[in-house]
Amino acid sequence: KRVHLRLEPPSQYVLGVALWPQQLDADARPVSNVKAWGRPPLVLIPGKTGGALRLVNLSASGLRLEVAHEARKEAGMELEIGQYLNLLLTLHEPSTKAVLKHWLVARVQNRYEDYTTKELEVGLRIVNRGQRQPDSPEIVWSKAPEDGLPDLENWVVRRHLELFREKGLG
């Protein structure tokens, strides 16, 4: 069941997506130092990274990504159901000209692999949100609300309304 509005975000508002497999420390807690994660194996930077990764849609509680076969192979990430990922989602807020950075932990909920093209579509559920500490590579994690992230929901609804005003129902 879908609780939240899903939006295929206008590409000019998606500034980037970076994915890392989640790493755990000796106590089985997520590693909170971003620098320890290394370079993200899968990255979307519009206009720079080609078609390796595409943000298909976004809601307050999750997102759907399309991952090219070659990019997935190169990154060594199969994105299996139940796998946890660290994610940085960077969005543009046109009303304030702000750059919104969302540090997230997401779980792979579902996956669909096209057996001809080998492209993969994965549905991710946001389970934790992170707060980056000022002047530090540390992130403090907290559980994401069951009903989604309010600031992400507001962003999605505002973009949906803008698109509706521009294009109408059709």
Side-chain angles (χ1 to χ4, degrees), residues 20 30-38 86 103 130-141:
W20 295 263
V31 173
S32 61
N33 185 324
V34 176
K35 290 185 177 176
W37 301 353
N86 289 347
W103 292 93
Q131 185 64 47
R132 182 94 186 252
Q133 298 308 294
D135 303 321
S136 164
E138 294 293 316
I139 293 182
V140 174
W141 296 104

Side-chain angles (χ1 to χ4, degrees), residues 88-100:
L88 172 58
L89 173 65
T90 309
L91 302 170
H92 173 66
E93 174 52 64
S95 62
T96 61
K97 308 267 188 277
V99 173
L100 310 174

Side-chain angles (χ1 to χ4, degrees), residues 40-116:
L42 287 171
V43 177
L44 161 68
I45 301 171
K48 292 188 181 168
T49 52
L53 195 61
R54 184 173 81 84
L55 181 57
V56 176
N57 65 44
L58 178 62
S59 76
S61 59
L63 52 154
R64 180 165 290 280
L65 296 171
E66 195 174 83
V67 188
H69 177 67
E70 281 304 310
R72 198 171 82 225
K73 237 171 65 176
E74 206 174 284
M77 292 178 71
E78 281 308 309
L79 303 169
E80 298 294 342
I81 291 175
Q83 180 182 0
Y84 287 84
L85 304 167
N86 289 347
L87 181 82
L88 172 58
L89 173 65
T90 309
L91 302 170
H92 173 66
E93 174 52 64
S95 62
T96 61
K97 308 267 188 277
V99 173
L100 310 174
K101 289 189 175 194
H102 297 277
W103 292 93
L104 308 168
V105 173
R107 182 181 59 243
V108 178
Q109 284 291 101
N110 54 57
R111 68 191 305 271
Y112 168 74
E113 186 171 355
D114 184 310
Y115 288 102
T116 11

Side-chain angles (χ1 to χ4, degrees), residues 22-32:
Q22 189 180 55
Q23 300 167 30
L24 302 176
D25 64 18
D27 299 321
R29 287 190 309 252
V31 173
S32 61

Side-chain angles (χ1 to χ4, degrees), residues 101-160:
K101 289 189 175 194
H102 297 277
W103 292 93
L104 308 168
V105 173
R107 182 181 59 243
V108 178
Q109 284 291 101
N110 54 57
R111 68 191 305 271
Y112 168 74
E113 186 171 355
D114 184 310
Y115 288 102
T116 11
T117 65
K118 298 286 188 205
E119 283 202 348
L120 180 70
E121 236 185 57
V122 289
L124 304 174
R125 169 90 176 156
I126 298 169
V127 292
N128 291 327
R129 78 169 327 156
Q131 185 64 47
R132 182 94 186 252
Q133 298 308 294
D135 303 321
S136 164
E138 294 293 316
I139 293 182
V140 174
W141 296 104
S142 59
K143 190 169 171 30
E146 278 299 312
D147 57 349
L149 305 177
D151 50 343
L152 201 51
E153 182 173 29
N154 291 339
W155 188 90
V156 166
V157 168
R158 280 195 297 272
R159 299 302 74 78
H160 177 75

